[in-house]
């Protein structure tokens, strides 16, 4: 079993080289032996094109146990997930875990992306909305980046929450600064940064 936000490292032999990449798990915590990952195909990448097109169906890969300290805690306080682009991946197991376990805590997912047709999981997230699960989609090509007013409104709707931020560095810098401005404590802000190819900054590998 895994905790929402954790990742596995996938290893395969590509053109004779053994390559390893971390991928956030997108399955719920209790995945019943069928862990799932979500991969963005990078045309110039070394690993993701092989997963999509180069790997034979019967060719094995090695997968680690779930790992990582970026964990979305669904056990007590309300949770706000501020995510952008492929940074949505940690929010997906949180949503799926809440739904699978019918947990009563409040969860808000605020998802920013350039345009809807480029945003993974958007239909699933919007279909999951209920009285305890709020999903806000922001198309930045139309509405621009989130501002202090919207951050303040989220903090008002979901008080005493832990905030989990995941996405590109500029997005994280902006949202963390705004969250602090409206009174969210540093101890309640949890950040995982992705590089331009979607890697956590702590690994410097393609996600």
């Amino acid at each position: 079993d895994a905790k929402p936000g954790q990742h596995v490292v996938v290893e395969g032999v590509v053109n004779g080289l053994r390559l390893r990449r971390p991928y956030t798990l997108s399955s719920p915590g209790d995945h019943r032996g069928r862990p799932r990952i979500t991969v963005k195909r990078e045309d110039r990448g070394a690993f993701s094109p092989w997963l999509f097109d180069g790997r034979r169906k019967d060719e094995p890969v090695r997968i680690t146990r779930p790992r990582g300290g970026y964990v979305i805690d669904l056990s007590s306080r309300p949770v706000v997930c501020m995510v952008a682009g492929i940074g949505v991946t940690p929010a997906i197991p949180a949503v799926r875990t809440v739904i699978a376990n019918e947990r009563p805590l409040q969860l808000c997912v605020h998802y920013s992306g350039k345009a809807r047709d480029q945003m993974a999981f958007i239909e699933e997230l919007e279909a999951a909305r209920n009285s305890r699960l709020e999903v806000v989609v922001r198309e930045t090509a139309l509405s621009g980046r989130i501002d202090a007013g919207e951050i303040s409104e989220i903090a008002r709707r979901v008080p005493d929450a832990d905030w989990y931020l995941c996405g590109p560095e500029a997005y994280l810098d902006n949202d963390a600064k705004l969250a602090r401005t409206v009174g969210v404590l540093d101890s309640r802000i949890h950040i995982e940064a992705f590089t331009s190819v979607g890697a956590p900054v702590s690994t410097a590998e393609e996600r």
Side-chain angles (χ1 to χ4, degrees):
D1 291 350
K3 297 176 181 179
Q6 288 191 307
H7 65 273
V8 294
V9 177
V10 181
E11 179 182 277
V13 178
V14 184
N15 297 325
L17 298 176
R18 192 174 298 277
L19 301 181
R20 306 172 79 234
R21 297 290 187 267
Y23 292 97
T24 299
L25 286 164
S26 49
S27 44
D30 179 11
H31 54 67
R32 302 186 181 185
R34 294 181 63 87
R36 298 184 66 180
I37 61 173
T38 300
V39 182
K40 180 180 180 182
R41 190 188 196 285
E42 298 286 350
D43 290 336
R44 292 184 294 176
F47 198 71
S48 60
W50 176 77
L51 282 178
F52 277 81
D53 305 319
R55 175 180 170 265
R56 300 189 314 271
K57 185 176 182 180
D58 61 345
E59 187 171 356
V61 295
R62 299 179 67 189
I63 303 173
T64 65
R65 294 180 181 274
R67 57 175 66 176
Y70 182 82
V71 172
I72 299 176
D73 184 359
L74 301 171
S75 63
S76 54
R77 295 191 187 98
V79 169
V80 173
C81 291
M82 302 292 299
V83 297
I86 198 61
V88 71
T89 49
I92 297 304
V95 169
R96 291 174 173 172
T97 298
V98 166
I99 293 173
N101 297 338
E102 298 182 347
R103 298 193 179 189
L105 87 153
Q106 187 174 3
L107 172 61
C108 172
V109 178
H110 188 287
Y111 181 15
S112 293
K114 186 174 182 180
R116 288 180 62 91
D117 61 359
Q118 300 176 25
M119 299 171 73
F121 296 109
I122 191 167
E123 293 180 358
E124 177 182 349
L125 286 171
E126 291 181 331
R129 288 185 176 121
N130 59 42
S131 61
R132 304 294 293 176
L133 176 54
E134 179 183 0
V135 176
V136 180
V137 174
R138 187 178 190 88
E139 292 184 82
T140 58
L142 298 176
S143 305
R145 293 184 179 181
I146 193 169
D147 57 22
E150 190 167 358
I151 291 278
S152 178
E153 181 60 22
I154 294 171
R156 184 194 65 79
R157 292 198 307 270
V158 194
D160 195 35
D162 278 317
W163 290 55
Y164 295 87
L165 282 57
C166 191
E169 186 174 358
Y171 169 85
L172 297 175
D173 290 345
N174 180 66
D175 283 24
K177 179 180 178 180
L178 293 178
R180 294 184 184 104
T181 298
V182 303
V184 180
L185 300 176
D186 276 348
S187 60
R188 298 285 180 87
I189 300 174
H190 313 275
I191 297 174
E192 183 172 39
F194 279 41
T195 68
S196 61
V197 294
V201 294
S202 58
T203 67
E205 291 186 271
E206 176 187 334
R207 172 164 297 205

